[in-house]
Amino acid sequence: MALTLSADARMVRDTAMDFFREKSPVTELRRLRDTNDADGFSRRLWREMAELGWTGFLVPEEHGGSGFGMVGLAQVMEAAGRTLAASPLLGTALIGASALDLAGNAEQKDAHLPGLVAGETVFALALEEGPHHAPHRIATAARQEDGGWVLSGEKRFVLDGHVADVLIVAARTSGAATDRAGVTLFLAPGDAPGVACTRSIMADSRNAARIRFDAVRLGPEAVLGRVDAGADVLEAVLDRARAGLAAEMLGSAEECFERTVQYLKDRRQFGVPIGSFQALKHRAARMFCELETTRSAVLAANAALDARANDAAALVSLAKAKANETLHLVGNEGVQMHGGIGMTDEHEIGFFMKRARVAEATFGTAAFHRDRYAALNGY
Amino acid sequence: MALTLSADARMVRDTAMDFFREKSPVTELRRLRDTNDADGFSRRLWREMAELGWTGFLVPEEHGGSGFGMVGLAQVMEAAGRTLAASPLLGTALIGASALDLAGNAEQKDAHLPGLVAGETVFALALEEGPHHAPHRIATAARQEDGGWVLSGEKRFVLDGHVADVLIVAARTSGAATDRAGVTLFLAPGDAPGVACTRSIMADSRNAARIRFDAVRLGPEAVLGRVDAGADVLEAVLDRARAGLAAEMLGSAEECFERTVQYLKDRRQFGVPIGSFQALKHRAARMFCELETTRSAVLAANAALDARANDAAALVSLAKAKANETLHLVGNEGVQMHGGIGMTDEHEIGFFMKRARVAEATFGTAAFHRDRYAALNGY
Amino acid sequence: MADLDRFRAETRAWLEANCPASMRTPMPDEEIVWGGRKPVFQHPDQKLWLDRMAAKGWTAPTWPARYGGGGLTEPEAAVLEEEMRALGCRPPLRSFGLTMLGPVLLEYGNEEQRQEHLPKIVRGEIRWCQGYSEPGAGSDLAGLQTRAVLQGEHYLVNGHKIWTSYAHYADWIFALVRTDPTVRKHDGISFLLIDMASPGVRARPIRLISGASVFCETFFENVQVPAANLVGEPNKGWTIAKRLLEHERKSIGGIGDRAKPTRTPESVAKELAGEADGRIADPVLRDAVARFNIDNAAFQLTRRRAQEMAEAGEPPGPLSAMFKYYGTELNKRRYELMVGAAGTEGLGWEGEDFDPAALKTTREWLRSKANSIEGGTSEVQLNIIAKRVLGLPD
Amino acid sequence: MADLDRFRAETRAWLEANCPASMRTPMPDEEIVWGGRKPVFQHPDQKLWLDRMAAKGWTAPTWPARYGGGGLTEPEAAVLEEEMRALGCRPPLRSFGLTMLGPVLLEYGNEEQRQEHLPKIVRGEIRWCQGYSEPGAGSDLAGLQTRAVLQGEHYLVNGHKIWTSYAHYADWIFALVRTDPTVRKHDGISFLLIDMASPGVRARPIRLISGASVFCETFFENVQVPAANLVGEPNKGWTIAKRLLEHERKSIGGIGDRAKPTRTPESVAKELAGEADGRIADPVLRDAVARFNIDNAAFQLTRRRAQEMAEAGEPPGPLSAMFKYYGTELNKRRYELMVGAAGTEGLGWEGEDFDPAALKTTREWLRSKANSIEGGTSEVQLNIIAKRVLGLPD
């Protein structure tokens, strides 16, 4: 498990950095926001990403992907985080591909992976039911009827939910509302009868939907993996999502930090650059340390997932906890150090702070992952 | 409930400040330590303190005290904290006097208060049984026998325990080991048969004893307050002790901070006083804020106790939590800002850091008091 | 004392007789009366109430009656405030003229300026705004570059102000301008009153990260301002500016306690992160909430202590230097806690599924980030404490 | 590679034949062999093992054989280390001569100095200490005042060094001295070797807040030092000093991972603050422990990443600048956590009732406070990161 990048990963990284800087700078997020874009991302750019092969990084070759793995995809996520690019990368290339790869049967893979790899099918994970990440707290129920399933319940904070062609729904097929056992994953068409979706816009200008399932009928082929054993798959899928999101957050934090350091050099008050003030220097130096340790943690988590290492889950929680804290810190300091101009919507630095909070709340806060890290390490 | 001092309290304060600076500077603590003083405090100075009336501040006039109250005693404690003076003030003038005042019957008061006020009788509270403050976790048992009581168990961290003439022992007379109900307080002679005391010395060079009670026989007159209802008295006594200790800690923190600020002005490196470095300035300014807010909290807690205000308990936890955090911060920063010289035993600044940790652990850490504060405020 | 009692009785009687019932209800932010040339009244009672109070000079109770003020003593003004609070009377008028410019004119203005401006402020006829900061002069306010060149009877003003609250609604602006660029920066600044209707003045609202705001950028392009509009002596404006800033800092420092908040960290935590046995269910979150509330309570006690010291005639001394810093940092913490405890429900921007109160909190959270920047950054406040209070060397 | 394999086989065979069984056991701190004119051996095997290794030059494996070293290549030295670790062989000698002075003499010393000092270092015959800091020169090391005045064939040395580790046991000291007080402070410093047996040298141990320590104050009073003992050029000692400091910082940065600690925050928390369902019972404490362990793990990963980058020939670049700062701050946090979790049991100083392991932790906690001071304070490290890595202006 290396903590340095292979030549291939480095190439992906360079390509991705150029791609997002050129085609999807922060102004693109602003445009999507200010034009009330119906999708919340650019389908044209998404297809270009697919052409670059990124949608297939977690898809095996026999299904049209490259199986290049998490470390490679993390480079793309990090580059996307640099420019706060909104795209279906997380929901589709990471979560959708992982779920199908890890639990899909041959028919499901054949049905869905080509469209996924081609950048045509958008996936969304319908998991959360409360305001805090709680992967086993599932009340949405699926009961068997006429050889198929009937799904009822309500999901919140479904990223890309309003544009999803396929919903991956975690539903309870047995057990009590917080049991780990008894959860089953389903693949449901986004436009199935009985699915009612309300789009909402989060503080980071990205999408999340509330989706109500009102006696939605699904065939037996909708079950992804084994009935009642969805929690294991979910955990594995979530760990990939968390590691990828941590990489994205690292990119956002790096960019926010570099912009802030540059501002400290450029902005003059009292006749000198404000970066010459020692108190700001020390705060900047501390952020540098946090960024470097976060980078190591993110690399280690993604490499461990690729290596299917025993401590992968702990490393993922380590990475997400660090990414949460570091982006939180850097986002806040970015605004404070930019002063008044940092408070304006016209300046881009505030976008990083807003993105920070939503990303933190996605798939587990720092406190969630500290608790999980402790549990996985026997305390 | 005033947050400014009365003229009387101010006079006490001035007297106490002079007293400790002149008669018990930090060198006195060093002397007690280096000579392995058998008492761990100066009996001569203790009698002088009694002559100044401090032992009687919590004792009503009819029993030889002045009933001057907590705000007055807090001024003495703060002054003692300034020079890290070791004395029976906490165990005797605060805890002993409070326990007798709040729960003692006429015979007990007559028997003990004159000696207490005169500075002749030393008291100690034998409460803790584990390494963390847990006022209701009491396994030491007292069972009735022949109209009297037989006490068995082991107490730790009994401040002044090895020199105590009278031990105030919290023992279980009914209920399970963590029940609030079922605790009874006893007055036991320090030299009663079956009492075995081991002195130990803490990191702050003060005393604490482990005391074993091996079937210690006490008469029925040993019960302080009502049987099984000791927890209420204990809580009231502890709140006074906590508020007084918080005042002492405030004094230590103020002194440590002032010495550190002075050092920042005096110490030159790179041709300038190190106090001209902005990073140190900002840290010092933050400490100033913490000290001022702590001062307000300590004043409010002691005033509320004197006024028997409804929110007195919450204010006490507020004060102890703040005092813990502030002295912790200031103690650590004191050593760091003094640099190498701060690490030497020869310099006095390290004594403040050592005292900080022991005082923090006494009668509840910051986390303990945050939890209590939350509970008292309904969350 | 008997006089004061009589004053209290009369005041209460007058308020009861003259304050319309609708003006004795809690005032939502949207119903604040700001006055001005084109005043906005949602309700005729607002105008009635303002006119009645202005007629008595009670919009500016302690200002001299010859300038339209109430001419009350401080104790009388305190009684008026108490009685208004007791009856629940709304403040009839809010204005930077009352709180900021008025005191300055009383201290530094000449008789003509007082006669001209104070009565209109009292009656809410002119709405003022403040022109201090510039894009290049934030923490280093004295580095401001807006130029005012005396040409005969007029100053010719050119420059660019920022963070001019409500400039787009204001009739006049009191501004700091550079009248001498050749001397030490603090020595070349003057305090100038400018009619916003003058040709060449343009105000543009600023959108913040929290959304629309009351802040503007204000541009001056060859604006002619009568020389008589200079307050105090030429090039002595910095003294006036500092006096005003002190006042501003005090009002921002109290930002956390303006109104009893309905949503608190503990209420949000219980509601959105879970409650068990009447407590916040998650002990780690509970600890964080208690940590904040303890610091906040200690801070409020410190404000009270300073107040008591002031009342006792003791100099509060160094204490007040910390209020701006500590109060604004606490306010930021409060919102971080609330947003964190609310999880994804606390991060909504638009969408019918979000609780409007939560949406408001999200905006307030973002808005709170400015607290430690506006009115002197936290860094500047810490510098001030280190220098003035602790005496640490430059 | 075949050569290296052969070397490995030969080395292992030699170690197995020559390393006494008692020298293949874990080494408590008290049994470290430091050498010197009056060496202390608790056991004859210690001397035997040292002599055998010194005879092969393997106490200094990569030093040239002509100075008594092993003359090994870096890969061979790595093999030796691996084989010693595999067999559990103790290091035969620890000394500042080996780790600090030797490399400096090899780079800056003249032939006579190398011939004179290196073989004795290899054989553990002379024990060295370092004379850098002074009471007035800590972070500002270059401000040192110890004077060395050339008088004919000798320097006359007067001054006062502090934090000279083990000076009371050392035979010689390598010291920074001021040889030219008239120039910029960095330009008047020289690197001088001084025999501690010279008249006028006095070392006094320093007691720390954690108790007895290896540190001393060392006084020089009219000490005569042969001019030939100057290393490098006169007044060019700062270059040598910096090279040495780099090395010292690296070794302190790794302070947290020297040995696998037997007491960890989580073990102390479970034992002394309570365990429930196999976990730390108090969720707030558990959160704090996890927070530390996460930061610590991320730091260890960062050290590994830097190592991998170095092995891959990539410049680790700015990364290493943070190790001293972050590593020492983590170590302080580790001890704060352990002491806090242990409650009053973690704050004992003397007394039969305390667990000896807990008493040791208390001392280590206090000792850890020096980590962020010695070898360049945390403040200096942050300055370095800000300047060299982030390029922030002075």
Side-chain angles (χ1 to χ4, degrees), chain D residues 60-388:
Chain D
T62 61
W63 293 8
R66 65 181 181 283
Y67 303 130
L72 302 189
T73 62
E74 288 288 349
E76 285 170 340
V79 165
L80 171 60
E81 202 185 318
E82 283 162 26
E83 291 305 314
M84 284 180 68
R85 203 179 310 126
L87 294 182
C89 304
R90 295 182 177 185
L93 178 66
R94 187 182 291 178
S95 109
F96 298 139
L98 288 173
T99 55
M100 302 181 84
L101 179 63
V104 158
L105 287 183
L106 285 169
E107 188 172 354
Y108 297 98
N110 59 34
E111 191 55 27
E112 290 71 29
Q113 290 166 339
R114 294 178 192 167
Q115 294 281 2
E116 168 66 21
H117 297 296
L118 294 179
K120 292 179 186 165
I121 290 172
V122 169
R123 295 193 298 267
E125 291 169 5
I126 292 295
R127 183 167 182 179
W128 286 86
C129 69
Q130 181 193 46
Y132 269 37
S133 297
E134 299 182 4
S139 288
D140 181 17
L141 176 60
L144 59 92
Q145 299 295 332
T146 295
R147 286 280 281 128
V149 182
L150 190 60
Q151 297 188 330
E153 294 294 292
H154 288 85
Y155 283 100
L156 195 69
V157 179
N158 278 287
H160 177 185
K161 293 287 176 185
I162 195 168
W163 309 120
T164 42
S165 311
Y166 297 106
H168 51 327
Y169 297 137
D171 307 307
W172 280 69
I173 185 169
F174 48 94
L176 294 178
V177 293
R178 183 158 305 283
T179 38
D180 187 346
T182 65
V183 293
R184 254 185 81 249
K185 62 182 177 183
H186 296 86
D187 297 337
I189 293 170
S190 298
F191 192 95
L192 195 62
L193 310 180
I194 307 174
D195 189 334
M196 298 283 283
S198 314
V201 180
R202 187 166 56 88
R204 191 178 69 132
I206 296 172
R207 193 172 177 77
L208 290 186
I209 56 176
S210 46
S213 86
V214 305
F215 295 114
C216 294
E217 289 184 282
T218 303
F219 302 88
F220 300 90
E221 208 180 328
N222 292 322
V223 179
Q224 286 211 327
V225 181
N229 286 7
L230 192 94
V231 178
E233 290 176 58
N235 300 324
K236 301 282 189 211
W238 187 244
T239 312
I240 305 176
K242 276 193 299 182
R243 180 62 57 99
L244 253 175
L245 281 180
E246 275 171 31
H247 196 73
E248 189 183 0
R249 264 166 212 167
K250 245 185 283 173
S251 69
I252 295 179
I255 204 152
D257 62 351
R258 216 170 262 160
K260 193 78 181 169
T262 48
R263 298 186 103 213
T264 60
E266 56 271 31
S267 73
V268 173
K270 278 187 180 178
E271 182 194 338
L272 294 171
E275 184 173 345
D277 302 327
R279 307 191 70 185
I280 297 168
D282 174 1
V284 177
L285 179 57
R286 190 198 306 148
D287 185 67
V289 171
R291 194 186 286 266
F292 165 76
N293 281 330
I294 281 174
D295 284 344
N296 191 45
F299 178 60
Q300 300 307 337
L301 286 167
T302 305
R303 288 166 55 85
R304 219 182 85 201
R305 179 157 67 92
Q307 177 96 29
E308 288 184 20
M309 285 167 77
E311 284 165 9
E314 285 179 63
L319 221 47
S320 56
M322 62 172 277
F323 292 161
K324 163 70 168 75
Y325 166 71
Y326 211 83
T328 56
E329 293 295 333
L330 277 172
N331 202 45
K332 291 197 299 179
R333 266 174 73 189
R334 177 200 320 276
Y335 281 107
E336 285 289 352
L337 260 179
M338 287 204 285
V339 165
T344 50
E345 294 299 302
L347 291 165
W349 196 252
E350 284 169 31
E352 55 201 82
D353 277 323
F354 290 114
D355 175 0
L359 285 175
K360 188 155 169 276
T361 302
T362 308
R363 305 285 180 131
E364 287 169 348
W365 159 63
L366 288 164
R367 179 62 182 80
S368 75
K369 296 300 177 191
N371 297 160
S372 53
I373 297 168
E374 60 203 345
T377 64
S378 281
E379 288 77 11
V380 166
Q381 302 306 317
L382 291 171
N383 286 346
I384 291 173
I385 296 170
K387 180 174 182 170
R388 304 218 191 121

Side-chain angles (χ1 to χ4, degrees), chain B residues 198-202 206-210, chain D residues 350-354:
Chain B
T198 326
R199 176 189 187 182
S200 44
I201 296 177
M202 306 300 291
R206 298 204 195 179
N207 291 299
R210 178 170 305 207
Chain D
E350 284 169 31
E352 55 201 82
D353 277 323
F354 290 114

